[in-house]
Amino acid sequence: MSENIRIVLVNTSHPGNIGGAARAMKNMGLSHLYLVEPEDFPNGNAKARASGADDILENARVVKTLDEALQGCSLVMGTSARDRRIPLSLLDPRESANKVLEHFDAGVEGDVALVFGREHSGLTNEELQRCKFHIHIPSNPEFSSLNLAAAVQVLVYELRMAQLARAEAPLKQRKFEASSMLNEQPASADEMERYFEHLEQVLIEVGFHDPQKPRHLMARLRRLYGRAEVNKLEMNILRGILTETQRSLRGEPGKRGGSDV
Ligand code: SAH
């Protein structure tokens, strides 16, 4: 998928930003950089800011028009610092990353391009109209314009996160299958209910909990255990502790050796 994503920088004036964008791309696993009429490229500042992402700069395609950069693209998204009232769907970077995944999922041929504008004036309305979606990083409206390379960083980071989330989903499923041993499965709602009843009982018996003055204790404990995602093995331990506490309160000899789990 990364192989089919292009980062297109239009008419960049500061070569350092080209280097910064290249670095951000390589960090996030992207490699296809298109430069539409850069003012000053190649340039030592670009190389310096790329900090080792030289291959991205060396392979960057320098073209004369946006059209050339977009040849072979089936989805084009443009970025803008200003929330321009143009009739395009406005997305934030996270939504745009999901759109990119959806696009590839649908099996559409061709590349996806993310287009970035000039440092001083951004993309023209005409250029933005070449884009199906318009991406705005929801920055401070009083100070909305990010540095160009920083804007590239935000977008490519979101793309990477979306890809990782996607790659992880089946992994989680696999983990669940591998852990299908009974003990590793989450305690059922029913088991949790029985535990809470048992816990409340013991807390009353030891004098910690007064049902006349409950102080939301049980609700708070439910929230705490809810966060812990208790599995069946852990549930056995918790129930064992309660049972032994009750036995001890009644002066019965303890099992010693603790739990048998
Ligand atoms: N004065 C210009 C600022 C351009 S900043 C303008 O108002 O458009 C240079 C480029 O960085 C932009 O064209 C865009 O590609 C990107 N960028 C900067 N801030 C952004 C933001 N908040 N959302 C989306 N892209 C942004």
Side-chain angles (χ1 to χ4, degrees):
M1 187 187 111
S2 306
E3 269 306 297
N4 296 96
I5 299 177
R6 301 180 188 178
I7 298 298
V8 180
L9 307 185
V10 178
N11 214 193
T12 309
S13 44
H14 298 293
N17 281 334
I18 300 177
R23 180 182 188 173
M25 288 170 63
K26 189 159 181 170
N27 284 147
M28 299 297 129
L30 296 183
S31 52
H32 299 307
L33 177 61
Y34 284 67
L35 304 172
V36 181
E37 280 204 306
E39 280 189 15
D40 188 1
F41 184 82
N43 175 292
N45 283 331
K47 191 173 155 60
R49 281 277 304 279
S51 307
D54 299 30
D55 50 331
I56 310 275
L57 293 180
E58 280 154 23
N59 295 322
R61 301 228 196 130
V62 180
V63 293
K64 284 211 155 53
T65 63
L66 180 58
D67 271 343
E68 269 179 82
L70 300 181
Q71 253 170 41
C73 288
S74 47
L75 177 62
V76 180
M77 298 182 165
T79 53
S80 172
R82 279 173 292 160
D83 178 3
R84 279 178 247 215
R85 299 284 153 211
I86 50 169
L88 277 174
S89 303
L90 189 70
L91 303 176
D92 69 30
R94 199 156 297 170
E95 290 166 333
S96 70
N98 287 324
K99 279 270 182 252
V100 173
L101 291 196
E102 277 167 27
H103 181 78
F104 288 124
D105 280 351
V108 186
E109 303 246 315
D111 286 3
V112 170
L114 299 180
V115 186
F116 295 81
R118 301 154 187 84
E119 288 91 334
H120 299 299
S121 52
L123 292 170
T124 62
N125 280 338
E126 201 176 72
E127 286 161 344
L128 274 166
Q129 263 146 47
R130 292 281 286 107
C131 309
K132 181 166 180 195
F133 297 104
H134 174 194
I135 307 167
H136 177 68
I137 300 166
S139 45
N140 175 3
E142 311 297 320
F143 192 66
S144 66
S145 173
L146 277 77
N147 162 265
L148 171 60
V152 171
Q153 179 74 80
V154 171
L155 262 82
V156 295
Y157 168 73
E158 288 295 346
L159 274 175
R160 185 158 181 86
M161 287 303 283
Q163 273 177 282
L164 291 177
R166 172 63 59 91
E168 221 177 71
L171 190 75
K172 270 191 192 145
Q173 215 173 330
R174 281 206 297 281
K175 258 198 216 155
F176 187 71
E177 280 160 17
S179 73
S180 58
M181 285 181 326
L182 196 63
N183 278 337
E184 300 274 328
Q185 284 180 5
S188 69
D190 214 37
E191 286 165 330
M192 290 306 292
E193 272 323 297
R194 276 185 270 134
Y195 173 69
F196 289 128
E197 282 165 25
H198 197 171
L199 179 64
E200 182 164 20
Q201 186 57 43
V202 172
L203 292 176
I204 293 169
E205 286 174 27
V206 300
F208 187 79
H209 177 46
D210 178 357
Q212 306 307 316
K213 287 187 229 145
R215 298 166 294 148
H216 304 296
L217 179 67
M218 291 316 294
R220 292 194 164 112
L221 288 173
R222 275 173 185 271
R223 199 172 57 184
L224 166 68
Y225 284 103
R227 282 203 306 273
E229 295 178 14
V230 179
N231 68 25
K232 289 191 187 295
L233 175 83
E234 293 157 345
M235 179 46 69
N236 272 339
I237 297 173
L238 291 172
R239 290 294 293 266
I241 293 171
L242 295 181
T243 304
E244 285 309 305
T245 306
Q246 287 177 311
R247 202 177 280 183
S248 153
L249 284 172
R250 289 182 206 120
E252 294 169 16
K255 254 200 323 189
R256 293 287 168 232
S259 70
D260 52 3
V261 288

